[in-house]
Amino acid sequence: MEWETVIGLEIHAQLNTKSKIFSSASTQFGAKPNSQACAVDLGLPGVLPVLNKEVVSKAVKFGLAVDAHINQRNVFDRKNYFYPDLPKGYQISQLDWPIVGEGEIEITLGDKTKVIGVTRAHLEEDAGKSIHDLYDDYTAVDLNRAGTPLLEIVSEPDMRNAKEAVAYAKKIHALVQYLEICDGNMQEGSFRCDANVSIRPMGQEKLGTRAELKNINSFKFLERAINLEVERQQDILEEGGEVAQETRLYDAVKHETRSMRSKEEANDYRYFPDPDLLPVEISDELMAQIKQELPELPQEKKARFIAEFGLSEYDADVLTSQKPMADYFEKMIVNNADHAKLCANWIMGELSASLNKHQLELLDAPITADDLSLLVNRIGDDTISGKIAKDVFKAMWDGEGSADEIIEAKGLKQMTDTGAIEAIVDEIIANNQAQVEQFKSGNEKILGFFVGQAMKATQGKANPKLLNEMLRSKLG
Amino acid sequence: MSLSQEQVSQIAYLARLSLSKSQLESNTKDLNNILNLAEQLAQVNTDNIEPMAHPLHMSQRLREDNVSEKDQSELFQSIAPQTGKDHYLVPTVIE
């Protein structure tokens, strides 16, 4: 039977505020355990949560960026369950009146685009962390993370395969970084993805029973976990079984998902409005102020890159897909406005390839935008050829100095001395009469042979354009 | 609307309350009395009335995003049943 996969994602983005959502304790990652868990975070008797204004503003920014309806009146609820890293016995969240209502976002896959619905986004507090391997006989609890603001972004079940789910997750990931509301660090858990996955016979409208996949901390694992789950569900259904609605934990080491049965019985959270918190009313003034603070969004930046720098749709799309890359390009372009296409090529070509090879993020690249900008400048002003520039790039990557220092030290400056090149060309023509005859009888391809010989003789330093022109006029 | 003893026992489990059989019976009766009292509201037409989220007609005060809490973990941990290596310790929880 042919099956259709249906995927919806729940993304938890930690909002990058200085203090917690309901207390004035720090949210800084990596502090001494429990040193940032105050009386409010611990749920000690008599404390009162007070909402952080910045949290509201960041959530609204997200809503505006996905064209969502903003619920200027929204309400906090208590979600009740027992777990050691949840000291109050309930998590403050939003159920019926979330801050961000329905919106949408467009994803790109190859040359196709698709609109994915955002059902809602609501505010809640993060829980603490349980550490199981510190003691043999105890679970250790660090409550520093308790009360860190989270924006939970819930999508419609609009995705039909793992690749679409990854494209959507990446798009949201890029967006929260553009908006500067979340640092997007998946390793530290600032950006977490849960996937609701079900399958149904192709053509059937009714959704199949879904499993919720948790503990996914990279885009690669998201794709793997979904594909794994789809296979598991197919096997069950094709053998006449039934898929259980449950939460499953993805284990990246064993590459498997396994059931978290302990969560099943607790699935009744008995939500009710939190009496400690009054309904939130976002004034029109605050809305206007937040709108003004909204930075340039990926789509707007893409359009500007095309209009301002004449980039292709594809180049502009790749460059704006991640904020660090767009920033890198904009830094390069400051001194290179005439060579925008060349800058784009170098970022998307050599730089990206080297980052991939060394498994580095752009922010950790050993070559800064200013460094690379200088190199592109040297191609632009004909100091070196594009081919030589690749060698210079490699030397720069290895820390051998700036582009100019390397060009100087290695004597890579392009030969633009017509006389010198001419002498070399004449010699090659004299020594290769058979090839000259072939060219004259119409074999255009043989020109490459002469170029190759001349490049060899000049260690690649002859200006290719000059060389080509000269060869053609002398052979022709 | 009324609750069965089974439902009350489930609610008690979710709240981690242990009820004896007689407590279960009396609690079920009490809870149903409360629900019946609230049921009177059903006689009122509530069309076009926004559900109330809080009895006070006020809105939430917002706080500036500043860090002002100091590390008081030693004080807090002094009243915890068990601590170690800066952590609160609880019986092993296996996921």
Side-chain angles (χ1 to χ4, degrees):
Chain A
M1 185 185 289
E2 230 192 308
W3 300 97
E4 182 178 47
T5 303
V6 178
I7 305 160
L9 293 187
E10 288 170 20
I11 292 173
H12 287 86
Q14 269 183 9
L15 299 177
N16 55 355
T17 52
K18 297 197 281 282
S19 65
K20 294 189 175 169
I21 180 168
F22 298 119
S23 83
S24 297
S26 169
T27 55
Q28 189 111 46
F29 183 82
K32 187 183 116 191
N34 292 302
S35 63
Q36 293 173 172
C38 72
V40 175
D41 308 326
L42 294 176
L44 293 183
V47 299
L48 195 67
V50 185
L51 183 58
N52 185 337
K53 185 177 172 188
E54 206 46 37
V55 167
V56 173
S57 142
K58 286 176 193 275
V60 170
K61 278 184 189 168
F62 174 80
L64 293 172
V66 295
D67 279 327
H69 174 74
I70 306 294
N71 294 316
Q72 284 180 246
R73 181 179 189 275
N74 56 88
V75 176
F76 283 98
D77 299 281
R78 292 185 178 182
K79 176 180 179 179
N80 300 279
Y81 66 94
F82 289 105
Y83 206 74
D85 55 26
L86 188 76
K88 298 193 295 296
Y90 60 86
Q91 177 194 30
I92 305 177
S93 181
Q94 297 190 308
L95 182 66
D96 291 325
W97 296 285
I99 186 162
V100 174
E102 222 170 295
E104 60 180 43
I105 193 162
E106 193 180 85
I107 60 166
T108 311
L109 276 165
D111 53 0
K112 288 201 183 80
T113 60
K114 180 172 176 175
V115 173
I116 306 292
V118 172
T119 314
R120 54 183 282 162
H122 63 258
L123 288 169
E124 59 187 31
E125 55 178 347
D126 208 343
K129 256 185 197 158
S130 300
I131 300 129
H132 303 288
D133 53 9
L134 201 57
Y135 287 88
D136 288 339
D137 308 329
Y138 298 102
T139 292
V141 183
D142 175 7
L143 295 169
N144 277 350
R145 200 179 64 180
T148 299
L150 292 178
L151 184 66
E152 177 171 341
I153 304 155
V154 183
S155 84
E156 288 289 303
D158 284 347
M159 289 148 279
R160 291 292 171 268
N161 55 58
K163 288 225 172 345
E164 284 184 9
V166 170
Y168 166 80
K170 281 188 173 169
K171 196 87 192 211
I172 297 284
H173 187 245
L175 186 60
V176 295
Q177 287 181 292
Y178 264 99
L179 293 166
E180 293 174 350
I181 61 172
C182 169
D183 69 17
N185 190 326
M186 295 179 84
Q187 253 67 52
E188 289 177 8
S190 320
F191 187 90
R192 315 197 281 269
C193 266
D194 299 338
N196 286 309
V197 180
S198 66
I199 61 171
R200 60 184 171 190
M202 195 60 91
Q204 178 183 303
E205 199 165 328
K206 191 172 169 284
L207 291 170
T209 307
R210 67 169 194 268
E212 184 180 1
L213 305 179
K214 281 188 179 287
N215 199 34
I216 301 167
N217 62 5
S218 79
F219 295 123
K220 193 170 73 184
F221 291 156
L222 177 62
E223 184 168 346
R224 284 189 190 166
I226 291 171
N227 286 331
L228 197 64
E229 179 59 19
V230 169
E231 269 175 47
R232 190 188 70 90
Q233 292 187 11
Q234 270 180 17
D235 288 348
I236 293 175
L237 292 176
E238 278 169 4
E239 281 165 22
E242 268 181 47
V243 174
Q245 180 167 341
E246 61 180 355
T247 304
R248 298 182 70 84
L249 208 63
Y250 176 66
D251 185 331
V253 178
K254 293 184 186 154
H255 187 48
E256 62 174 29
T257 64
R258 57 174 179 269
S259 183
M260 287 173 73
R261 294 194 197 285
S262 58
K263 282 247 171 181
E264 293 319 292
E265 197 129 24
N267 239 340
D268 184 346
Y269 294 121
R270 295 150 297 139
Y271 281 93
F272 62 90
D274 190 327
D276 282 348
L277 287 152
L278 292 154
V280 181
E281 305 266 4
I282 308 171
S283 66
D284 292 341
E285 290 75 32
L286 185 55
M287 283 294 289
Q289 188 195 324
I290 297 168
K291 266 181 201 160
Q292 252 186 350
E293 288 169 9
L294 214 56
E296 186 181 38
L297 297 175
Q299 294 300 329
E300 297 163 356
K301 204 181 269 291
K302 180 180 158 185
R304 183 168 60 82
F305 279 5
I306 294 170
E308 201 171 316
F309 304 119
L311 293 185
S312 70
E313 172 100 16
Y314 176 79
D315 288 356
D317 199 56
V318 173
L319 287 176
T320 55
S321 64
Q322 296 167 47
K323 183 156 190 293
M325 200 186 265
D327 290 346
Y328 197 100
F329 175 74
E330 293 209 79
K331 260 195 210 142
M332 276 188 79
I333 218 76
V334 173
N335 297 315
N336 257 320
D338 299 339
H339 308 303
K341 174 67 187 159
L342 208 51
C343 290
N345 287 349
W346 274 85
I347 294 174
M348 292 158 60
E350 293 296 307
L351 183 65
S352 293
S354 299
L355 289 170
N356 268 342
K357 197 174 138 199
H358 295 92
Q359 303 210 320
L360 283 176
E361 295 295 322
L362 184 53
L363 292 170
D364 305 319
I367 300 178
T368 67
D370 289 340
D371 296 340
L372 191 57
S373 175
L374 179 65
L375 178 65
V376 171
N377 245 316
R378 291 298 167 259
I379 306 168
D381 66 13
D382 281 336
T383 306
I384 52 172
S385 68
K387 192 167 173 296
I388 292 280
K390 290 191 182 178
D391 297 333
V392 178
F393 178 88
K394 203 176 164 298
M396 287 167 70
W397 184 277
D398 294 336
E400 291 177 32
S402 74
D404 278 348
E405 285 163 4
I406 292 162
I407 292 168
E408 184 64 39
K410 299 197 172 186
L412 297 173
K413 221 168 175 174
Q414 193 158 251
M415 282 173 70
T416 44
D417 178 346
T418 325
I421 297 178
E422 192 170 8
I424 290 165
V425 167
D426 284 344
E427 198 188 328
I428 291 167
I429 289 177
N431 292 339
N432 295 285
Q433 279 305 311
Q435 282 82 357
V436 175
E437 287 312 314
Q438 284 183 42
F439 183 82
K440 286 191 170 160
S441 61
N443 184 356
E444 275 276 325
K445 281 187 197 153
I446 205 79
L447 189 69
F449 165 79
F450 290 104
V451 174
Q453 291 292 313
M455 281 297 183
K456 208 169 147 193
T458 59
Q459 285 110 44
K461 288 186 282 184
N463 178 322
K465 202 165 142 243
L466 201 66
L467 184 63
N468 261 296
E469 281 169 9
M470 200 176 285
L471 276 166
R472 280 193 180 278
S473 79
K474 286 196 181 274
L475 290 168
Chain B
M1 181 182 175
S2 80
L3 292 169
S4 69
Q5 282 195 15
E6 259 170 25
Q7 284 170 311
V8 174
S9 130
Q10 172 67 8
I11 294 164
Y13 170 75
L14 289 171
R16 299 297 185 272
L17 296 174
S18 163
L19 299 182
S20 68
K21 193 158 184 330
S22 67
Q23 281 174 318
L24 183 62
E25 277 168 17
S26 65
N27 274 301
T28 305
K29 203 174 137 220
D30 290 348
L31 275 172
N32 279 325
N33 279 339
I34 294 168
L35 286 173
N36 287 336
L37 182 73
E39 193 78 353
Q40 292 176 35
L41 285 172
Q43 296 164 16
V44 186
N45 183 351
T46 53
D47 292 349
N48 304 319
I49 292 180
E50 197 180 339
M52 188 173 73
H54 202 279
L56 297 180
H57 286 284
M58 289 162 69
S59 65
Q60 177 62 35
R61 191 173 72 85
L62 300 179
R63 202 187 87 236
E64 292 300 321
D65 181 27
N66 294 322
V67 175
S68 60
E69 288 287 349
K70 301 212 165 39
D71 177 7
Q72 298 190 79
S73 52
E74 268 181 48
L75 179 65
F76 295 144
Q77 298 205 344
S78 69
I79 54 165
Q82 209 154 10
T83 59
K85 299 181 188 172
D86 300 324
H87 290 79
Y88 295 92
L89 301 185
V90 298
T92 308
V93 185
I94 299 166
E95 195 52 81

